[in-house]
Amino acid sequence: YSDLALPFVNKVAKQFGAQVHRRSPEVSQDSSTSLEAIREFLNHHHEVDIVGNIQATSPCLHPSDLIKVADLIQKEGFDSVFSVVRRHQFRWSEVKKGGSKMTEPQNLNPAKRYRRQDWAGELYENGSFYFAKRHLIEKGYLQGGKMAYYEMRAEHSVDIDIDIDWPIAEQRVLSFGYFGKDPLKEVKLLVCSIDGCLTNGRIYVTEDQKEMVSYDYRDIVGINLLKKRGIQVRLISERDCSKTLSAMQLGCIAKVSATNKLQVLEDWQKDMGLSWKEIAYLGNEESDVECLRKAGMSGVPADACTVAQKAAGYICKSSGGCGAVREFAEHIFMLLEKVNSARNWSILLFFSSSLSKSVCQRMAYLSSFTLQ
């Protein structure tokens, strides 16, 4: 992590009960390997016998997988366990310059080509984790000795390697990611900061000293879509922008000249009888930070200040006044679909005793991530 991100990473880790070891500059180079960092860690922690190297670039890993892997080492005596995923891909030899111009099949017979869905496939490392015992790591290995692989589900096997992997990973996390033990709840209120979220934060002053702001019509559509889904939208601003709001005709409750945004948010939460998990907040300034931390779902525009970005659960690709509200609304809808899917699975499982055992188990497995 960069020096800028380290304090935040340390704080979050400690909030969840983790102890933090900061590796030295010598093993923090661009060319440094995970093995080098792990060996340095073991030099400082002689009490550790087993190391689980969990890759941050694989965000769909679930605790249940790690518990099973720990059992493989602690109870079944394996020296190392690593994650794999099953792929159904036909491989061919690479044609290189100066060599043969013909490619050759690597794992199939073209004369007896079978359907991929009828083929068991092959196991590939997916990079999610590597567990190994101390004695193996001290010899310079993360894999060795009595080895075992742990096959992960394809939908959980996400590896962020290059920038184009990000949108795929985001969709996978929303659909199959682990959201902790606390279940997701329906969002019933979105509170949006006006300046810098609904607008771009710029104020234009005419010669006759009248103020003008600009907004994106897509954001108005986003607000209307939220209302149609039964989600109230309320606006908040530190300055008096009553005339601007009146001109926009949004039909939303608003609090202007708010010197303490958190107090306003707490008052709305109590008046509406909501839990914090039922509130979403979109902010962009330092004055929004406490609100972002309190809300069950939080977001900021792409151009929000650094401290606000650190406090938010979601960073929009759009800037303030340029579609950020609409984008955050779509993010909320996607998470709500996850909640509804979990409920539908529960109902289906309850009424589907006539289904085969394997089908029921499959549905129970998928639904358990959001129901637990």
Side-chain angles (χ1 to χ4, degrees):
Y1 297 105
S2 66
D3 290 338
L4 184 64
L6 269 173
F8 175 68
V9 173
N10 289 348
K11 182 178 180 181
V12 171
K14 291 176 180 177
Q15 284 177 345
F16 283 86
Q19 298 180 40
V20 177
H21 169 83
R22 186 168 183 175
R23 57 186 185 179
S24 68
E26 288 74 23
V27 296
S28 301
Q29 308 299 316
D30 289 341
S31 58
S32 298
T33 65
S34 297
L35 182 60
E36 290 173 336
I38 293 170
R39 294 182 74 175
E40 181 194 66
F41 170 82
L42 289 177
N43 288 335
H44 290 85
H45 295 274
H46 300 286
E47 76 281 5
V48 176
D49 295 321
I50 301 171
V51 172
N53 179 31
I54 302 169
Q55 307 277 61
T57 50
S58 300
C60 271
L61 183 60
H62 284 245
S64 57
D65 290 328
L66 298 178
I67 292 171
K68 293 174 184 176
V69 171
D71 286 343
L72 286 173
I73 288 186
Q74 293 176 309
K75 297 180 181 179
E76 299 189 33
F78 286 97
D79 295 312
S80 61
V81 184
F82 55 93
S83 58
V84 299
V85 64
R86 190 172 298 275
R87 302 292 188 202
H88 296 77
Q89 297 172 325
F90 295 136
R91 291 183 288 106
W92 292 80
S93 62
E94 183 179 355
V95 176
K96 297 182 179 180
K97 292 182 178 180
S100 172
K101 294 184 179 180
M102 293 181 59
T103 184
E104 297 290 337
Q106 298 292 299
N107 61 349
L108 77 153
N109 180 357
K112 297 180 179 180
R113 186 183 178 97
Y114 36 73
R115 298 188 310 165
R116 285 191 292 180
Q117 58 264 44
D118 296 330
W119 174 43
E122 297 178 326
L123 297 177
Y124 291 81
E125 287 187 29
N126 67 357
S128 286
F129 58 78
Y130 298 86
F131 276 61
K133 290 183 177 178
R134 170 185 280 272
H135 71 84
L136 196 64
I137 296 171
E138 288 177 340
K139 294 178 182 178
Y141 301 100
L142 273 176
Q143 295 163 296
K146 184 181 177 182
M147 290 186 289
Y149 62 78
Y150 181 86
E151 185 175 348
M152 289 178 58
R153 303 185 72 87
E155 57 264 33
H156 295 165
S157 297
V158 181
D159 183 29
I160 302 175
D161 188 34
I162 55 179
D163 56 354
I164 60 174
D165 294 329
W166 273 104
I168 298 173
E170 287 177 349
Q171 297 301 317
R172 286 284 188 90
V173 169
L174 290 173
S175 298
F176 305 108
Y178 180 74
F179 286 84
K181 294 182 178 180
D182 294 331
L184 292 167
K185 287 191 175 182
E186 289 276 2
V187 173
K188 296 182 179 178
L189 171 66
L190 167 65
V191 178
C192 175
S193 182
I194 297 171
D195 303 303
C197 291
L198 182 59
T199 72
N200 60 14
R202 296 186 179 94
I203 299 174
Y204 305 91
V205 182
T206 63
E207 291 182 354
D208 55 354
Q209 297 184 338
K210 291 182 178 180
E211 292 184 357
M212 293 190 302
V213 297
S214 65
Y215 63 90
D216 194 314
Y217 183 70
R218 290 174 297 176
D219 291 332
I220 307 305
V221 173
I223 290 175
N224 290 332
L225 289 173
L226 287 163
K227 290 180 178 180
K228 288 180 180 178
R229 290 284 296 264
I231 300 173
Q232 285 198 41
V233 179
R234 296 190 177 186
L235 307 173
I236 192 168
S237 175
E238 292 177 279
R239 67 187 188 90
D240 186 358
C241 52
S242 303
K243 293 181 179 180
T244 300
L245 289 173
S246 178
M248 294 172 74
Q249 297 181 338
L250 297 174
C252 299
I253 293 175
K255 176 65 176 178
V256 298
S257 302
T259 56
N260 187 333
K261 290 183 178 179
L262 180 59
Q263 186 61 58
V264 174
L265 185 61
E266 289 176 341
D267 290 343
W268 283 344
Q269 180 245 341
K270 292 175 183 177
D271 291 343
M272 297 178 67
L274 302 177
S275 68
W276 286 112
K277 284 189 173 294
E278 295 172 308
I279 299 174
Y281 191 93
L282 183 67
N284 71 304
E285 277 298 340
E286 190 170 348
S287 58
D288 296 306
V289 168
E290 293 304 317
C291 297
L292 291 167
R293 289 172 177 166
K294 277 277 189 180
M297 199 179 298
S298 59
V300 293
D303 55 350
C305 70
T306 303
V307 290
Q309 289 190 9
K310 288 181 179 180
Y314 180 80
I315 301 176
C316 298
K317 298 179 181 65
S318 305
S319 297
C322 298
V325 178
R326 172 65 184 270
E327 181 182 339
F328 190 52
E330 291 176 349
H331 175 68
I332 292 173
F333 296 150
M334 192 171 296
L335 291 182
L336 291 183
E337 286 176 8
K338 185 178 178 68
V339 175
N340 292 330
S341 295
R343 289 176 178 170
N344 291 337
W345 281 120
S346 302
I347 294 170
L348 186 57
L349 285 167
F350 185 77
F351 289 107
S352 59
S353 58
S354 62
L355 293 176
S356 69
K357 181 179 179 182
S358 62
V359 172
C360 288
Q361 288 175 337
R362 165 72 170 163
M363 291 189 295
Y365 185 84
L366 286 172
S367 64
S368 65
F369 303 140
T370 50
L371 295 175
Q372 60 188 318

